[in-house]
Structure formats: structure tokens, C-alpha cells
Amino acid sequence: MPIKWVLHWQPNVGTSVNSQILNEVSQCVESINGVKEGRWKATLTFYKPMLRDQSLASEFPRDFLGIMVPECPNRYFFVIRAQRIVLEADSTIQTIMEKLQSYKMRVALNFEGFQYQLGDFQLRVGKVVPTHSENLRGIVMEVEYLPISSIEKSRQIMEEFLDIWQEALSKRTLPGHFMHMEPKFTEYGLSDHYSSQHTAVQYATVMAQLIASVQSVQSMRN
């Protein structure tokens, strides 16, 4: 499977994300000859345990995430960041969880936008919005390099591409920049050979960064 980096938009201090930034980013991809190929979507769900005895709450993970990634519509991934656990299951596991009533959905977020082809690279640019809402919570970008599946072997070319991309984007003087926070995949028991489990872990990491940036904006306002 091709190597992929998932990046998030980090707003400058005192600013927040808006749809104008998303439009500018999409236009920038097209300005460097990115060919629009269609739409894409990923979904991330926060789960909480259904407890009859609330005193047991501390025994369950707080950040229990379910993730559906665009390249694997028939699979579902669970990530518990605190314990560095990633699990893969058939997508029907969601129905089973509902019937068992062991966990229920606390909040779900959609990552959705357009996909672009750019030579050997595939870019996906999208907004982060709660389901049943258009309230923009963030902007993400997937950068996929199709010829290589080794994380280490692809690192240099991914970094070079990112430098070119950041330079193109800087000409638009937007109030922020894209950040790539690479998780320590080995802590999750994942190898150098890229898989959809790596993607799920990256989405969980991006979500943590988005929450942190929203909280910092709110604390500044207070």
C-alpha cells in the first residue's frame, strides 16, 4: 500500500479556520497542476462505554476512537492512543457494537473534500465537520506517494514535496500552515511497511492536534 502522510491546518495564534482558507488551499493544489478526481470521505467517532456502574468509568479508555478511512470502506479501525493500541475489524463491527450496547457514540466527525492527482502523488484536501453539521472544525490534507510503501525510503521525497507545497501555499499569505506530526508507529506495533492501520493512527493523532488547537483558541478568548 502506498505511503501516506496526514497533515492538519495549524492556524496562526489568534486566528481560526474558515471556509475561505479551505477554498484557497484547493485552488493552490490546482495551481500546481493537481487534477481533480472526485470526492473522498473519512469518518472518526468518539465512543464512550455504556456503564451501569459509573464508578467503573476510570477503568475504560477516555479516547476510544473508531475510524473509517477512504481506502478501506469495508474495514473499521479502533485506536486507543493512551495505550498505543490499533485494531482492525470488518465494518459490520459498528452494528454489533450498537446491538451489544457496550459503547455508544459520543461524537462523530467527517473528513471530506476533493481528491487530486499530481504525477505520482495523490492529494486529498478536506474539511473536518461534525456529522449533521456544517460547523467547520479543521482542515486536513492527505499526501500519498503511489510508488513506495516503505516509510523510511519515502521520507526524503515526501519532505521535498512538502517543501514545494508549503512554498506554493506561502504565496497566498494565509493565516497558518499545514503541520505533519508523525506518530511513533513502532509504539503501536506497526512496521515500516505502510498499511491502513498507519492511516488510522495518523487520523487519531491529527484529531488530538485539532482538539488542542481549538482549546488554545478558546483559552485565549477567555
Side-chain angles (χ1 to χ4, degrees), residues 39-194:
R39 300 192 68 87
W40 69 278
K41 181 179 178 180
T43 307
L44 185 147
T45 303
F46 287 84
Y47 288 101
K48 67 176 182 180
M50 304 271 283
L51 298 175
R52 290 175 180 82
D53 183 354
Q54 290 304 316
S55 66
L56 298 173
S58 61
E59 296 182 20
F60 291 83
R62 286 188 62 199
D63 58 344
F64 182 40
L65 304 180
I67 302 166
M68 186 167 280
V69 297
E71 68 265 23
C72 281
N74 298 322
R75 308 298 290 167
Y76 200 67
F77 300 87
F78 294 104
V79 177
I80 303 173
R81 289 186 68 242
Q83 278 124 342
R84 299 293 189 266
I85 294 171
V86 58
L87 300 170
E88 182 176 344
D90 191 272
S91 59
T92 53
I93 190 70
Q94 297 167 86
T95 309
I96 295 168
M97 285 172 71
E98 281 177 27
K99 288 180 177 175
L100 288 175
Q101 294 190 329
S102 53
Y103 282 86
K104 73 173 181 178
M105 187 177 79
R106 194 170 73 198
V107 64
L109 295 159
N110 290 333
F111 298 70
E112 54 188 357
F114 287 100
Q115 181 171 300
Y116 301 86
Q117 193 76 26
L118 189 62
D120 284 334
F121 290 90
Q122 201 162 53
L123 307 185
R124 295 184 178 100
V125 175
K127 59 186 177 181
V128 185
V129 291
T131 51
H132 316 303
S133 167
E134 283 301 310
N135 187 7
L136 187 67
R137 295 295 172 87
I139 297 169
V140 294
M141 184 172 82
E142 287 190 5
V143 180
E144 197 169 12
Y145 184 58
L146 302 173
I148 297 180
S149 59
S150 161
I151 294 169
E152 287 307 317
K153 287 178 182 173
S154 63
R155 191 175 301 282
Q156 184 179 349
I157 196 161
M158 293 291 274
E159 287 174 350
E160 287 172 358
F161 177 83
L162 217 56
D163 287 343
I164 293 166
W165 164 249
Q166 301 283 29
E167 186 181 341
L169 200 58
S170 67
K171 293 171 184 172
R172 293 175 181 258
T173 58
L174 297 173
H177 60 282
F178 277 104
M179 279 187 69
H180 175 236
M181 304 280 290
E182 183 173 304
K184 291 180 179 176
F185 293 119
T186 52
E187 292 182 358
Y188 290 85
L190 299 176
S191 70
D192 177 67
H193 190 79
Y194 197 83

